[in-house]
Amino acid sequence: MHTRRIGEVEVSAIGLGAMPMSIEGRPDEARSLATLRAALDAGVTLIDTADAYHRDADEVGHNETLIAKALAAHDRGGDVLVATKGGHLRPGDGSWTLDGSPGHLKRACEESLRRLGVEAIGLYQFHRPDPRVPYAESVGAVRELLDEGKIRMAGVSNADPEQIRQADEILGGRLVSVQNQFSPAFRSSEPELELCDALGIAFLPWSPFGGISRAAGLGSAYAPFARIAETHGVSPHRVCLAWMLARSPVVVPIPGASRPESVRDSAGAADLVLTADEVAELDAA
C-alpha cells in the first residue's frame, strides 16, 4: 500500500470510513469484524470513525467500540491511526443533532478515549460547526485537548476555507486534517481541497462515491468513470479513488465499507495510475 501523511504520521493512501458498520442498515458484527480485518490485511492504516456513528440512543460510540475490538485482535492493529470525531449526536430517532460546546467536546473525548482503550487519540476532529457556539470556542476546546496530551493530532470536519484558516490559527499552526464531503456528485469542497493543498494539510474526502445510497450507481451516473474503469479492467469506484489521489498529494480518501470485498477493491486504488488525459476527463465529468 502506498502511503501519504497526516501531520507527521504516515498512513495508507486509502483509508476506511467505518460508519456503515454502525448506523441504520448495518451488517451483523461478524461481517463488520471481517470487513475491518480485510482492511488491515490489505494494508489500510487509517480508519475513520466518530462517537456519533451508532444507531440507537443507548449505544453511543458503537463504531469506536467495534474498531477497538478489531484492532485488538489483529497483529497489525497497533499500526493503525484511528481518526475519531466529536460534536455530532444521534438521539436515536434517525436524526443528527449538534453540540459544539467546549464542555461537551471534552466529555466526548474522554468517552472516546475509554472506548478506544488508548491513552491518547491519534487524530481527533471537530465533527461539524454548531451555529449556537462560536467556532473559536469549539476549536479552542480541541486545542486544550491537544495541549493536555489527550489527543496527538487535531483536525476539523465540514469546514469552509475561513473556518480552516481560523482553526489553524487557534491551534497554533497544528491543524493536520480537514474532512469534508467530496465526490463526483459533490464537488463544492474544491476550495477547501485547494486550500489544504496550499497549506500542506491532509484533505480526507468523506462519501467519495456519493453516499451509501448512490455508491452502486457511480459508473452509470458518470459515464467517464465507467469507460476508464473498463479500459483498466477495474471498478468505477477504484477509478474514482485513484482520481482523487491524483488531484493532490494531500488527499487521503476514506471510502465507507461494510463488506470485505469492498475494502479490497478500494485498497487497490492506491496502485492505479491514471494518465493526465484521464484525470482531465474525470475532472470535467
Side-chain angles (χ1 to χ4, degrees):
M1 173 73 76
H2 295 283
T3 60
R4 296 203 162 178
R5 300 195 76 81
I6 298 179
E8 296 302 316
V9 178
E10 193 172 88
V11 299
S12 54
I14 300 293
L16 169 65
M19 185 181 76
M21 291 179 260
S22 290
I23 63 169
E24 291 79 358
R26 67 192 186 195
D28 59 30
E29 184 174 287
R31 195 177 93 186
S32 291
L33 291 173
T35 301
L36 287 160
R37 185 167 58 250
L40 296 173
D41 289 344
V44 171
T45 59
L46 171 65
I47 298 179
D48 175 76
T49 183
D51 60 359
Y53 294 167
H54 63 91
R55 184 186 62 198
D56 304 323
D58 62 351
E59 55 171 24
V60 174
H62 178 278
N63 202 241
E64 293 175 324
T65 302
L66 185 70
I67 290 167
K69 184 174 183 178
L71 295 183
H74 200 283
D75 59 0
R76 291 202 295 275
D79 299 332
V80 173
L81 174 64
V82 176
T84 193
K85 300 182 286 295
H88 237 336
L89 301 91
R90 301 204 75 198
D93 60 1
S95 67
W96 297 76
T97 59
L98 298 168
D99 190 344
S101 65
H104 171 76
L105 290 173
K106 291 178 180 180
R107 290 190 299 272
C109 179
E110 293 287 353
E111 288 299 304
S112 291
L113 281 165
R114 179 184 59 80
R115 285 187 292 264
L116 292 170
V118 295
E119 293 182 359
I121 292 171
L123 173 59
Y124 195 72
Q125 301 170 105
F126 177 39
H127 203 152
R128 186 180 287 273
D130 181 349
R132 300 170 304 171
V133 180
Y135 196 67
E137 291 185 13
S138 300
V139 178
V142 176
R143 181 192 62 210
E144 290 180 23
L145 293 170
L146 187 61
D147 291 340
E148 293 167 2
K150 300 287 180 67
I151 65 176
R152 293 197 171 94
M153 296 188 294
V156 294
S157 184
N158 302 298
D160 63 30
E162 181 181 351
Q163 290 166 334
I164 293 169
R165 292 188 181 94
Q166 184 181 9
D168 194 38
E169 181 180 355
I170 293 169
L171 291 166
R174 294 178 292 174
L175 182 70
V176 302
S177 67
V178 173
Q179 182 175 325
N180 275 20
Q181 185 177 9
F182 184 72
S183 69
F186 189 95
R187 305 195 190 191
S188 63
S189 284
E190 290 271 7
E192 290 82 7
L193 192 163
E194 292 171 4
L195 178 60
C196 287
D197 181 73
L199 298 177
I201 295 171
F203 183 84
L204 315 181
W206 62 264
S207 288
F209 305 139
I212 295 173
S213 63
R214 294 182 177 183
L218 175 66
S220 57
Y222 297 92
F225 286 86
R227 186 192 66 74
I228 292 171
E230 184 175 359
T231 298
H232 289 273
V234 299
S235 70
H237 304 83
R238 193 177 297 191
V239 169
C240 179
L241 297 175
W243 165 66
M244 290 186 177
L245 291 174
R247 296 295 306 273
S248 166
V250 303
V251 173
V252 186
I254 45 172
S258 62
R259 297 181 299 130
E261 51 267 39
S262 298
V263 167
R264 288 189 283 265
D265 184 62
S266 292
D271 295 317
L272 177 59
V273 179
L274 302 176
T275 67
D277 287 344
E278 288 173 332
V279 171
E281 182 179 353
L282 297 174
D283 284 345

